[in-house]
Amino acid sequence: MTTQPVDSPDLWAGLSALEEPPAPVWEDPVPLAGPRKLTAFPVSSLPGWLREFVAAVAEETQTPVDLPGCIALSVLATAAGGRSVVQVRGHWREPTNLYVVVSLPPANRKSAVFGLLTDPLYEAEQQLRTLIQPAIVEAEMTARLAKEAADKATAKAASAGADERDELVSTAIALAQTADSVAVPAKPQLLADDTTAETVTSRMAEQGGRIAVMSAEGDIFDIIAGRYSGKPNMGVFLKGHAGDRLKVDRQTREEYIEHPALTMGLCVQPQVLDDIGRQDGFKGRGLLGRFLYSVPESLVGRRKIEPDPIPEPVMETYRRHVLDLTLFLAEWTDPAAIQLTPEAVATLTAFQARVEPMLEARGGIMGQIGDWGGKLVGATARMAALLHLAEHLTKGHTVPVTGATMRAAIALAEYFISHSLAAFDSMGADRIAERARTVLEALRTHGWREVSKRDLMVKLSRSEFRTANDLDPVLALLEDHGYVRAQVVQRTGGRGRPPSPRYMVHPRLTDPTA
């Protein structure tokens, strides 16, 4: 029997192999979210007359159906906001006003769409003014006569002798109080043209707590952010959506609105959303979480040259129904309460149960936009009430919302989830994921199998990563997704700078076959 010498190269190679740590096992990395797949606008959710008009407007203007569809929701909210509420359950009530914004590039005929959708609102406004004009004239005359009588009584009391002054002063005071109590009705207004925070507040106060801002431009965001006043003024826009009590003290008068109801239907260029994400005035204030966002694909370059015009019967039906709904609800001082059937309540509750896990900060698809997602179920109830009113017009308060209508509203909510996630990506809610893709590209380009944080900072743009701390959430996200693994850093002693954290890199980044 022969024995192998202890200094045999084969033996030492075997022992050395036993001492080496095994190669790390890597599981497939979880892909980072890329460009989002957007849900098509569920035009079938709209009542028949509204669905036909929205589709016809999209055809004639050659715009994505999302634009007239979303503005149609704002038109319904203008007609019903401040004049109806939906009773969800218990003490939970939702007003029926909405904030909707559509993002589209230039040359998408936004103004034409707005004109077609909002014309009946201006017509309704004019009819309301005609109806109330005699009452305004009478009140103005009464107020003027009462003021003149009070002024004469005051002058007479001032020149009276001591024996009759007290009685004349009492008469003058009574007449002044009468003159002051004569209220002149405001001219009805549904849509605000001047959209500063101050004028929106004043118009709502004059109009019994409601007003709408409909615009094919994005200037309103500049105004809210305080670009012209020097500081953000969001109070009326925050409370006007939620219906929270609003009180404003001015030098000339005090304005108080018990239940403000502001509706906004806007169409802005994509750059406006990008800019909003960079403005500190919008961060952490909750305003962006109140909008329903739509970011459809532009049809520019693929439009028909000779599209079909809107059929006259479809146009006339839309006009008549918007007028009927608006004029009917305008008469309500106490809002009409829209009830839900038990099936509608159960359907909304089931949807709420589906939404809740989506709000999980770590892993939920709406975790990064929890403020927006937390308002989604309430917005769904609002949309269900609006669809219900559009279906029943002047009789919506007499019958409850059905389960089918609630499912139609949920289809709209699911559409807005998809598009709002994309909108918030543009506004920077997902900047960490965006930066993570930048780091992944750097890891692929340089072919590192292991890299230090310091080495990464040398290769990355300082405009995107100003300090090493900016890398921490990005590397944490990449580690969560299995692209890198943090290594334990051993200090060697001594005083100097501590070693830079090191990361092992998934071999697939440099070798797709690994």
Side-chain angles (χ1 to χ4, degrees):
M1 179 176 177
T2 59
T3 59
Q4 193 173 30
V6 296
D7 60 349
S8 165
D10 293 338
L11 177 60
W12 286 115
L15 291 173
S16 178
L18 290 174
E19 292 174 356
E20 289 181 1
V25 178
W26 292 88
E27 296 181 357
D28 290 341
V30 178
L32 295 170
R36 298 185 184 274
K37 184 178 180 180
L38 298 176
T39 302
F41 184 84
V43 69
S44 60
S45 291
L46 304 177
W49 64 270
L50 190 55
R51 178 170 63 246
E52 289 183 5
F53 185 69
V54 163
V57 169
E59 167 65 21
E60 179 173 301
T61 60
Q62 286 297 286
T63 53
V65 72
D66 314 55
L67 177 57
C70 289
I71 301 308
L73 292 175
S74 298
V75 169
L76 296 178
T78 301
R83 297 297 183 266
S84 64
V85 296
V86 54
Q87 178 67 46
V88 182
R89 59 174 176 266
H91 292 91
W92 181 8
R93 280 187 163 195
E94 288 284 342
T96 53
N97 54 305
L98 292 176
Y99 288 7
V100 182
V101 59
V102 183
S103 172
L104 272 173
N108 269 279
R109 298 166 180 164
K110 299 184 285 288
S111 296
V113 173
F114 268 81
L116 289 167
L117 269 294
T118 59
D119 279 349
L121 292 176
Y122 285 103
E123 185 177 347
E125 184 178 278
Q126 189 56 50
Q127 288 194 25
L128 289 170
R129 290 187 174 190
T130 300
L131 289 171
I132 203 173
Q133 186 61 29
I136 292 176
V137 172
E138 181 181 349
E140 287 176 341
M141 179 63 71
T142 301
R144 183 162 58 249
L145 292 174
K147 176 85 166 51
E148 290 175 357
D151 290 344
K152 289 179 180 178
T154 300
K156 189 174 181 180
S159 61
D163 56 337
E164 56 181 354
R165 182 174 298 157
D166 289 345
E167 182 179 351
L168 291 175
V169 167
S170 297
T171 300
I173 291 173
L175 288 172
Q177 290 173 338
T178 299
D180 192 56
S181 67
V182 177
V184 179
K187 290 183 178 181
Q189 185 173 354
L190 297 172
L191 299 155
D193 296 324
D194 186 352
T195 53
T196 66
E198 292 75 14
T199 54
V200 167
T201 304
S202 296
R203 297 295 175 269
M204 276 202 296
E206 293 169 358
Q207 300 301 318
R210 69 155 172 178
I211 200 70
V213 175
M214 306 282 277
S215 174
E217 304 296 335
D219 291 350
I220 182 65
F221 287 111
D222 289 332
I223 293 168
I224 295 172
R227 181 164 294 181
Y228 305 116
S229 63
K231 61 179 181 179
N233 191 350
M234 297 188 187
V236 64
F237 300 101
L238 294 172
K239 295 183 177 182
H241 179 273
D244 295 336
R245 188 177 292 111
L246 178 62
K247 183 177 181 181
V248 180
D249 292 320
R250 303 189 186 280
Q251 291 182 348
T252 56
R253 61 175 172 168
E254 180 182 281
E255 292 173 327
Y256 175 80
I257 309 172
E258 181 69 25
H259 298 293
L262 175 62
T263 286
M264 287 203 275
L266 311 173
C267 189
V268 302
Q269 295 183 19
Q271 184 61 44
V272 173
L273 293 185
D274 293 342
D275 291 343
I276 289 171
R278 296 183 178 91
Q279 293 183 26
D280 292 337
F282 284 102
K283 296 176 181 177
R285 297 293 301 276
L287 179 63
L288 299 181
R290 286 162 164 76
F291 280 91
L292 298 172
Y293 297 88
S294 172
V295 288
E297 184 179 356
S298 172
L299 299 182
V300 173
R302 297 177 287 123
R303 295 177 291 190
K304 293 181 183 178
I305 304 304
E306 296 183 358
D308 297 331
I310 302 171
E312 281 301 321
V314 172
M315 174 82 82
E316 179 57 26
T317 299
Y318 173 78
R319 170 189 165 276
R320 188 176 66 253
H321 286 351
V322 171
L323 277 173
D324 288 346
L325 180 61
T326 306
L327 296 175
F328 171 72
L329 288 173
E331 299 176 359
W332 289 74
T333 51
D334 292 331
I338 310 301
Q339 305 294 327
L340 306 182
T341 61
E343 182 189 3
V345 173
T347 302
L348 184 64
T349 301
F351 179 60
Q352 187 175 11
R354 282 200 290 125
V355 166
E356 190 63 24
M358 300 180 190
L359 304 178
E360 181 73 31
R362 192 177 180 88
I365 66 167
M366 291 190 286
Q368 295 289 329
I369 56 170
D371 178 50
W372 184 89
K375 297 178 178 65
L376 180 61
V377 176
T380 305
R382 296 185 187 201
M383 289 190 289
L386 293 173
L387 296 177
H388 174 79
L389 289 169
E391 185 70 41
H392 298 279
L393 298 173
T394 61
K395 300 178 181 178
H397 63 293
T398 65
V399 291
V401 176
T402 64
T405 299
M406 186 60 72
R407 286 189 289 274
I410 289 171
L412 285 166
E414 290 169 339
Y415 164 85
F416 283 120
I417 289 175
S418 164
H419 285 248
S420 295
L421 285 168
F424 276 98
D425 284 352
S426 296
M427 291 186 286
D430 206 12
R431 288 287 168 85
I432 293 176
E434 184 181 329
R435 291 176 173 179
R437 285 188 280 273
T438 299
V439 172
L440 279 181
E441 188 58 34
L443 294 175
R444 289 192 184 97
T445 300
H446 295 284
W448 287 307
R449 292 301 183 101
E450 186 174 330
V451 66
S452 71
K453 186 177 172 183
R454 189 174 294 122
D455 290 338
L456 270 173
M457 282 299 296
V458 170
K459 299 297 183 182
L460 295 171
S461 168
R462 286 303 176 94
S463 64
E464 192 169 6
F465 298 90
R466 295 182 181 180
T467 69
N469 289 337
D470 293 334
L471 259 179
D472 290 338
V474 172
L475 290 170
L477 180 64
L478 291 176
E479 189 167 14
D480 284 345
H481 283 252
Y483 286 102
V484 299
R485 290 179 184 171
Q487 300 294 93
V488 177
V489 178
Q490 300 287 344
R491 289 200 63 131
T492 58
R495 293 185 176 180
R497 185 169 58 178
S500 176
R502 299 191 67 80
Y503 294 84
M504 295 183 67
V505 181
H506 197 296
R508 188 167 296 177
L509 290 178
T510 53
D511 181 6
T513 64

